[in-house]
Amino acid sequence: MGKGKHNPSILSPSDDSVHVNKENYINNGSIKLHPLPTLTEIKSKIPSHCFRPTVMRSMFYVFIDAVYILLTYLTMFYIQKYFTYGYLIFPLYWYAQGTLYTSLFVLGHDCGHGSFSSHQWIDDIMGTILHTYVLVPYYPWKVSHNNHHKNTGNIDKDEVFYPRRLKAVDDELSKNMDKIGERRRSFQAPYFGLGIGWFYYLVFGYAPRPVNHFNPFHPMFQKHIVGVTSSLIAYSLMFYLMHLYAQSYGYFALISYHLIPTFIFACYIVIITFLQHTEVDVPWYSGDEWNYVRGQLSTIDRNYGHVHSIIHSAGTHQIHHLFTKVPHYHSEEATKYFRKAFPHLVRLNHERILPSFIRMFKIHVKQRSLKNDVRIFQYNDEKIKST
């Protein structure tokens, strides 16, 4: 299925009473929500081994990614050292290394969901190492990300890139007009500022429900103070190690070999995260219309072409949202069984990634503000003029 052709059976858009009106939201009370299978019914169609991570296999991927990252670094280091115009290869290095950093993040993401191993202490240690290396505060992001999974597709409780009610935005603005106003302008930067938007989100969250991932006293982290504090200490240590590297090789080397690839990784995360949950005809629900299965099915599978397997199938997202315990190396297999058993629930977009991101960003910016009584919302595929 291509863009705008995702899941007609859930909302029954063939019914004449279902429509997107001129204000771009579904008419309240006019939608027939079709019954969905339970989580148990979906799980029964997937082989049991898909839900069992093994330490050896997970660590194998860590080892392979680490080797690739080291070899990529050494190759660029010696090219730049021994060839007069070696620096011209840096853009290729940044792309390759940024892609590999994304693969590290995905492994740390498995840790955060307990799908790296069956031991939480192993997951948290490895997750801290993997995420800290790419400048992500592991435990705070783990907590906020799990909040996203608990509320996927919920207009009023999801974590990021959700459509925003006018009242919620106005209330937040009235509390702190200057600061929140500045936040709103930041997220209206072209394409979220790509990698800049990712680090902005870590510090300020996504208005009007901001979360500072570096504040261990934020209410979201109150029950996780030890884990959050440990991650922030590791984060500080990483900055110290980067300082030592810069002292030995120079800040230009630090920026060229590590920080720019980290920025490329951050661009990947903005694009991937946005496209996993944002597409025309994919519904968002208010609390009284939302349930877990319905929310998790409001996700989209996409293929990332030549980097899809390198980033550990991060674009294969529906099965991950239904069952976070499925490790990345079983997600494709589990997805095949899911699609075979429930073809009417599949959301799969074949459009090329960057054109899809550009198209949906324009639609998102234009249509994301909702009236306060909207219960079910969908973006519509009206033509968006280039700006």
Side-chain angles (χ1 to χ4, degrees):
M1 288 180 284
K3 65 181 182 181
K5 302 293 184 182
H6 297 280
N7 197 353
S9 63
I10 293 180
L11 293 183
S12 186
S14 59
D15 191 312
D16 291 339
S17 65
V18 179
H19 63 278
V20 179
N21 68 16
K22 63 183 180 181
E23 282 139 342
N24 301 322
Y25 64 91
I26 297 297
N27 189 5
N28 291 335
S30 67
I31 295 173
K32 294 181 179 179
L33 295 175
H34 286 221
L36 295 173
T38 66
L39 204 60
T40 301
E41 290 170 338
I42 298 174
K43 187 175 182 179
S44 68
K45 303 298 183 181
I46 300 172
S48 59
H49 71 266
C50 290
F51 299 90
R52 292 194 296 268
T54 60
V55 175
M56 290 297 293
R57 188 165 183 183
S58 296
M59 287 301 299
F60 168 78
Y61 286 103
V62 172
F63 174 77
I64 291 298
D65 284 353
V67 168
Y68 284 155
I69 287 170
L70 179 60
L71 289 177
T72 302
Y73 168 80
L74 291 175
T75 299
M76 186 65 234
F77 182 85
Y78 285 110
I79 287 176
Q80 200 274 335
K81 182 177 181 179
Y82 291 113
F83 292 89
T84 304
Y85 298 104
Y87 60 85
L88 295 176
I89 306 297
F90 264 122
L92 180 60
Y93 167 80
W94 294 332
Y95 174 68
Q97 199 73 304
T99 303
L100 291 170
Y101 280 16
T102 306
S103 71
L104 276 193
F105 174 85
V106 174
L107 297 180
H109 167 264
D110 271 8
C111 295
H113 284 299
S115 57
F116 186 90
S117 78
S118 57
H119 305 283
Q120 184 175 339
W121 66 272
I122 294 178
D123 293 339
D124 286 345
I125 290 174
M126 290 307 304
T128 298
I129 293 171
L130 295 169
H131 274 191
T132 302
Y133 183 76
V134 293
L135 301 184
V136 177
Y138 167 73
Y139 214 98
W141 188 82
K142 167 186 172 179
V143 173
S144 68
H145 184 63
N146 283 332
N147 181 65
H148 157 62
H149 273 265
K150 293 175 183 177
N151 300 287
T152 303
N154 189 317
I155 296 170
D156 303 302
K157 294 183 179 180
D158 207 341
E159 185 64 27
V160 70
F161 297 140
Y162 43 79
R164 302 185 298 180
R165 296 193 188 278
L166 295 174
K167 182 178 185 303
V169 175
D170 291 343
D171 287 349
E172 197 69 24
L173 283 169
S174 66
K175 293 178 184 178
N176 194 335
M177 180 67 73
D178 292 337
K179 184 179 291 186
I180 301 300
E182 186 60 36
R183 289 177 187 172
R184 291 182 72 193
R185 285 191 291 274
S186 293
F187 272 103
Q188 289 173 1
Y191 311 110
F192 306 107
L194 292 174
I196 295 173
W198 165 248
F199 289 105
Y200 182 93
Y201 164 73
L202 291 178
V203 177
F204 296 109
Y206 190 76
R209 299 193 288 273
V211 176
N212 183 345
H213 291 77
F214 298 95
N215 177 13
F217 304 107
H218 188 280
M220 182 179 288
F221 306 138
Q222 286 180 352
K223 297 180 180 179
H224 309 278
I225 190 69
V226 174
V228 170
T229 302
S230 298
S231 289
L232 295 181
I233 291 172
Y235 202 88
S236 299
L237 178 60
M238 181 62 190
F239 268 83
Y240 178 66
L241 292 176
M242 289 193 299
H243 171 72
L244 294 180
Y245 179 90
Q247 290 294 306
S248 298
Y249 297 99
Y251 281 94
F252 177 81
L254 174 64
I255 294 170
S256 299
Y257 287 105
H258 183 59
L259 294 184
I260 293 180
T262 301
F263 174 79
I264 299 301
F265 141 72
C267 293
Y268 266 105
I269 295 304
V270 170
I271 294 169
I272 291 171
T273 304
F274 180 71
L275 290 180
Q276 284 171 341
H277 302 282
T278 312
E279 186 52 84
V280 297
D281 296 342
V282 174
W284 287 81
Y285 304 94
S286 65
D288 55 344
E289 300 288 353
W290 182 92
N291 65 44
Y292 184 83
V293 174
R294 186 172 291 148
Q296 307 314 321
L297 287 171
S298 289
T299 54
I300 307 110
D301 285 352
R302 300 177 191 263
N303 188 287
Y304 281 72
H306 65 280
V307 303
H308 187 78
S309 61
I310 298 174
I311 60 174
H312 303 308
S313 304
T316 305
H317 206 57
Q318 272 196 300
I319 208 69
H320 168 66
H321 259 269
L322 287 165
F323 306 106
T324 58
K325 295 300 182 183
V326 173
H328 76 270
Y329 42 82
H330 289 317
S331 64
E332 297 286 358
E333 180 184 1
T335 295
K336 289 179 182 178
Y337 283 95
F338 167 72
R339 290 177 181 173
K340 181 178 179 180
F342 305 100
H344 59 294
L345 301 181
V346 174
R347 299 188 190 280
L348 177 61
N349 188 293
H350 295 293
E351 186 180 12
R352 289 184 299 141
I353 296 301
L354 289 181
S356 188
F357 177 68
I358 293 169
R359 172 181 59 83
M360 277 312 305
F361 175 83
K362 293 176 180 179
I363 294 174
H364 169 77
V365 168
K366 186 171 183 178
Q367 301 179 14
R368 64 179 172 177
S369 296
L370 309 182
K371 289 187 176 181
N372 300 317
D373 60 349
V374 171
R375 293 164 53 199
I376 301 177
F377 165 82
Q378 292 175 327
Y379 294 102
N380 90 38
D381 57 357
E382 65 182 48
K383 299 295 183 182
I384 302 296
K385 295 180 180 180
S386 300
T387 58

